[in-house]
């Protein structure tokens, strides 16, 4: 079944893949911190969409779409255009390169991100396993 | 989308005299005690003074420099308020000079926060000159900063794309009397930079030519350079800078992840460590599912490479043959590491190698178990067969 990105259903599908992945569990075994992704609108998208993942020691404890009016204080806040996320999930753009070129912006402890390259790589690998459709 | 950045480079005989043309009031020289003893600091000071600058020297850089050393250097810079910071020495001195510069311009910044994702303010107070005195680290042409966290016993791969020296001076006088062992260690470092710069997943058209030329120069000139041939040393000085430019604009790969972990745990020279792992990582990478580029390197060296596997095999043999010729160890056992010590620190080594940012750009990323096995194979000198 294909899931629309970005959506609550897609976030929950990724949570399932993450929690089934031994490679992610191993790579992110020391990771602590929830991640909040803002997907900025492009094409037929009319508003930004926020997805939130509670990532803790190699597991995803919760994932959902966060409505714009809900205030959250995540450890890590990412933002970028829909097309940037799409390129990352299709394996066409390295997520660290996206961060270094500011195509994907990050607020949070950047040292922690730089110490967890394999966790980031495995997270993206899991995202590529979610059958995804994108807005036109 | 990506970038290509290199410093302004002055090279060849009397390149040091370029310092006399710099404009400024004060220059802080970041170096070590050996550079002072050899008289190199005095030569640099003389050139800076000829430009009208006042100088001060921070000569406290140690091998595998620590975060604390970088903080002390920055403190000296804050007190002296230079408009030039001059790194003079091997990779350790140049890395501390970069960190000193970043911390001077960004007071209060935690050195561990110098990373490619941070926006740093630079070039508002000072600019950076790098003068290498070895033939391998290439640090004069890279934004990388390697410092040691002495508490965690790990090397920190720091640096921001902005922490690139403004000016690199390659003057052959500084490598003319380089000890053979240092020449061998740093020469293998340069070779690893060049091969990993060509083969990591971020390689690009701007860096490929630099890396290949560096590889050719190193195979042609490193043995003679170690024997003391002045012309060969000058070519190696250029090769090291080319390799630095290549990997600064692509990145490194697995031999650096393994080498960083080993060097920090056993206090061994960086170049010796990464050079030792290089052939093992070529063997490992070529057995993976992703295409590699070792065949192209083999072809550039005139080695048989009718298939990628054949090219990689011949490249591995060429690397080991070069290492043998210049007296470099081929195994961790040859390095003097006891098997019991390796096993006692294996989980620390594996954890640090896995967390090293260079792992990410390797064409084949090992699993945790494969990391363990790579260390054990490198101890025993076994060809990688997995």
């Amino acid at each position: 079944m294909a899931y629309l990105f970005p959506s609550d259903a897609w976030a929950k599908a990724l949570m399932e893949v993450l929690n089934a992945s031994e490679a992610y569990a191993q790579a992110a075994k020391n990771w602590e911190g929830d991640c909040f992704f803002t997907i900025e609108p492009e094409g037929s998208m009319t508003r930004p969409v926020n997805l939130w993942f509670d990532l803790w020691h190699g597991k995803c404890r919760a994932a959902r779409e966060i409505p714009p009016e809900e205030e959250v204080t995540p450890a890590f806040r990412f933002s970028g255009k829909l097309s940037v996320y799409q390129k990352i999930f299709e394996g066409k753009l390295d997520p660290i390169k996206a961060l270094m070129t500011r195509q994907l912006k990050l607020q949070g402890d950047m040292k922690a991100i730089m110490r967890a390259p394999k966790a980031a790589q495995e997270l993206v690998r899991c995202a590529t396993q979610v059958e995804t459709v994108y807005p036109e | 989308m990506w970038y290509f950045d290199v410093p302004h480079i002055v090279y060849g005989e009397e390149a040091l005299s370029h310092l006399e043309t710099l404009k400024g009031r004060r220059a802080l020289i970041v170096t070590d005690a050996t550079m002072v003893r050899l008289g190199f600091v005095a030569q640099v000071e003389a050139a800076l003074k000829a430009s009208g600058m006042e100088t001060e020297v921070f000569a406290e850089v140690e091998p595998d420099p620590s975060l604390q050393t970088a903080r002390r250097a920055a403190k000296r810079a804050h007190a002296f308020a230079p408009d030039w910071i001059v790194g003079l020495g091997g990779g350790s001195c140049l890395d501390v000079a970069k960190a000193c510069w970043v911390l001077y311009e960004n007071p209060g910044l935690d050195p561990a926060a110098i990373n490619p994702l941070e926006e740093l303010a630079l070039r508002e107070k000072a600019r950076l000159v790098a003068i290498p005195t070895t033939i391998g680290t290439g640090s004069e042409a890279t934004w990388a900063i390697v410092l040691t966290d002495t508490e965690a016993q790990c090397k920190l791969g720091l640096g921001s794309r902005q922490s690139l020296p403004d000016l690199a001076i390659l003057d052959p006088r500084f490598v003319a009397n380089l000890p053979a062992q240092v020449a061998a260690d740093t020469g293998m470092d340069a070779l690893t930079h060049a091969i990993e710069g060509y083969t990591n997943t971020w390689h690009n058209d701007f860096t490929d030519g630099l890396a290949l030329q560096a590889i050719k120069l190193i195979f042609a000139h490193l043995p003679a350079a170690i024997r003391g041939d002045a012309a060969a040393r000058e070519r190696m000085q250029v090769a090291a800078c080319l390799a630095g430019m290549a990997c600064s604009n692509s990145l490194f790969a697995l031999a650096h992840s393994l080498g960083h972990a080993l060097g920090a745990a056993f206090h061994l020279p960086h170049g010796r460590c990464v050079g030792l792992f290089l052939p093992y990582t070529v063997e490992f990478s070529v057995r993976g599912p992703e295409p590699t580029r070792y065949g192209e390197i083999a072809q550039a060296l005139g080695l048989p490479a009718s298939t990628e596997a054949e090219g990689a095999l011949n490249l591995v043999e060429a690397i080991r043959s070069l290492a043998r010729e210049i007296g470099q160890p081929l195994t961790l056992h040859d390095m003097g590491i006891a098997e019991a010590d390796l096993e006692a620190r294996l989980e620390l080594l594996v954890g640090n190698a896995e967390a090293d940012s260079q792992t990410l750009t390797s064409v084949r990323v090992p699993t945790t178990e494969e990391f363990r096995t790579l260390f054990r194979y490198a101890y025993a000198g076994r060809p990688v067969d997995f």
Side-chain angles (χ1 to χ4, degrees):
Chain A
M1 177 183 172
Y3 297 90
L4 177 68
F5 179 86
S7 67
D8 187 71
W10 189 92
K12 288 180 166 58
L14 175 56
M15 180 171 74
E16 272 192 35
V17 175
L18 287 169
N19 286 335
S21 168
E22 184 53 39
Y24 176 74
Q26 183 63 32
K29 63 188 174 193
N30 296 321
W31 180 265
E32 295 179 354
D34 57 332
C35 295
F36 183 94
F37 296 88
T38 297
I39 297 92
E40 293 161 1
E42 275 188 313
S44 62
M45 272 181 84
T46 55
R47 60 174 180 85
V49 174
N50 303 317
L51 301 181
W52 173 79
F53 298 86
D54 181 7
L55 303 173
W56 191 262
H57 290 209
K59 289 292 172 193
C60 181
R61 299 189 299 195
R64 65 185 175 93
E65 182 177 345
I66 303 274
E69 63 276 12
E70 185 175 334
E71 296 230 345
V72 291
T73 53
F76 300 92
R77 190 184 285 269
F78 297 83
S79 63
K81 291 179 186 169
L82 171 69
S83 57
V84 171
Y85 287 96
Q86 186 171 350
K87 280 184 210 161
I88 291 171
F89 296 152
E90 289 175 348
K92 294 174 183 167
L93 176 60
D94 185 301
I96 300 293
K97 194 177 260 187
L99 288 165
M100 286 177 71
T101 54
R102 311 292 189 260
Q103 294 176 78
L104 194 61
K105 297 177 187 68
L106 167 64
Q107 290 176 288
D109 182 356
M110 301 191 193
K111 291 176 292 184
I113 296 283
M114 293 308 292
R115 278 192 227 108
K118 207 170 171 194
Q121 191 180 49
E122 287 302 331
L123 190 147
V124 169
R125 203 189 309 275
C126 287
T128 64
Q129 290 170 25
V130 177
E131 197 180 334
T132 303
V133 290
Y134 297 91
E136 292 294 317
Chain B
M1 174 179 171
W2 191 232
Y3 311 98
F4 182 78
D5 297 298
V6 294
H8 183 62
I9 294 167
V10 184
Y11 67 98
E13 280 185 24
E14 297 305 322
L16 186 66
S17 65
H18 184 76
L19 289 182
E20 297 171 15
T21 68
L22 299 185
K23 303 277 186 286
R25 290 171 298 160
R26 284 183 291 277
L28 175 66
I29 301 168
V30 177
T31 188
D32 62 26
T34 303
M35 297 297 111
V36 176
R37 182 171 52 78
L38 293 172
F40 291 173
V41 170
Q43 293 178 54
V44 170
E45 279 194 292
L48 289 165
K49 282 176 177 161
S51 77
M53 274 194 257
E54 185 186 342
T55 61
E56 189 159 309
V57 179
F58 176 88
E60 298 173 28
V61 179
E62 75 277 35
D64 296 330
S66 66
L67 292 171
Q68 291 82 355
T69 302
R71 285 197 188 98
R72 282 204 312 280
K75 194 173 172 187
R76 183 75 67 85
H78 286 301
F80 184 55
D83 32 30
W84 287 93
I85 290 176
V86 181
L88 170 70
S92 297
C93 293
L94 303 191
D95 285 0
V96 172
K98 290 177 196 171
C100 165
W101 179 43
V102 174
L103 298 175
Y104 170 50
E105 300 248 10
N106 298 269
L109 185 75
D110 176 359
I114 305 171
N115 67 60
L117 308 185
E118 301 273 3
E119 285 282 357
L120 298 174
L122 278 174
R123 299 178 176 83
E124 290 173 8
K125 293 180 181 173
R127 285 187 285 165
L128 180 67
V129 182
I131 308 176
T133 61
T134 65
I135 54 171
T137 73
S139 183
E140 69 277 10
T142 77
W143 49 265
I145 302 170
V146 180
L147 296 176
T148 298
D149 183 335
T150 49
E151 285 176 17
Q153 291 186 61
C154 68
K155 290 201 174 184
L156 301 172
L158 307 174
S160 150
R161 282 189 47 260
Q162 295 148 289
S163 57
L164 181 75
D166 296 284
L167 172 64
I169 293 183
L170 311 180
D171 192 314
R173 78 179 77 182
F174 293 123
V175 297
N177 297 306
L178 187 68
Q181 183 62 62
V182 179
D185 288 338
T186 56
M188 289 305 286
D189 192 18
L191 182 62
T192 311
H193 291 163
I195 290 178
E196 294 206 320
Y198 191 78
T199 56
N200 78 65
T201 57
W202 288 18
H203 69 80
N204 58 72
D205 288 335
F206 287 91
T207 58
D208 281 353
L210 298 168
L212 277 183
Q213 178 65 4
I215 292 166
K216 287 195 266 189
L217 286 174
I218 294 164
F219 273 103
H221 298 290
L222 181 56
I226 288 164
R227 291 193 297 271
D229 182 298
R233 285 187 170 207
E234 192 169 344
R235 301 305 299 278
M236 276 301 303
Q237 197 177 34
V238 170
C241 189
L242 291 172
M245 286 192 275
C247 62
S248 184
N249 289 286
S250 56
L251 271 182
F252 306 88
L254 197 51
H256 271 78
S257 314
L258 296 160
H260 284 160
L262 187 80
F266 289 96
H267 307 290
L268 293 162
H270 168 79
R272 198 180 306 167
C273 294
V274 299
L276 181 138
F277 283 115
L278 180 62
Y280 297 98
T281 59
V282 173
E283 289 173 331
F284 175 76
S285 298
V286 80
R287 296 178 71 87
E290 300 299 325
T292 58
R293 309 178 85 205
Y294 302 116
E296 291 175 24
I297 297 174
Q299 283 171 352
L301 292 170
L303 300 170
S306 60
T307 65
E308 185 63 15
E310 184 191 30
L313 187 69
N314 285 317
L315 177 62
V316 164
E317 187 44 46
I319 296 166
R320 290 201 167 117
S321 176
L322 177 66
R324 274 188 216 101
E325 185 177 356
I326 64 174
Q328 288 292 90
L330 298 175
T331 70
L332 300 185
H333 179 267
D334 292 347
M335 263 185 170
I337 294 172
E339 191 169 11
D341 288 341
L342 176 69
E343 291 298 329
R345 297 183 196 186
L346 194 56
E347 293 315 304
L348 173 73
L349 292 169
V350 169
N352 285 341
E354 274 193 308
D356 195 295
S357 55
Q358 316 307 332
T359 297
L360 190 72
T361 46
S362 302
V363 69
R364 183 182 176 198
V365 176
T367 63
T368 304
E369 189 53 37
E370 286 169 340
F371 267 116
R372 281 191 198 99
T373 311
L374 280 169
F375 279 110
R376 287 177 172 141
Y377 272 45
Y379 174 82
R382 285 181 67 176
V384 175
D385 55 3
F386 57 93

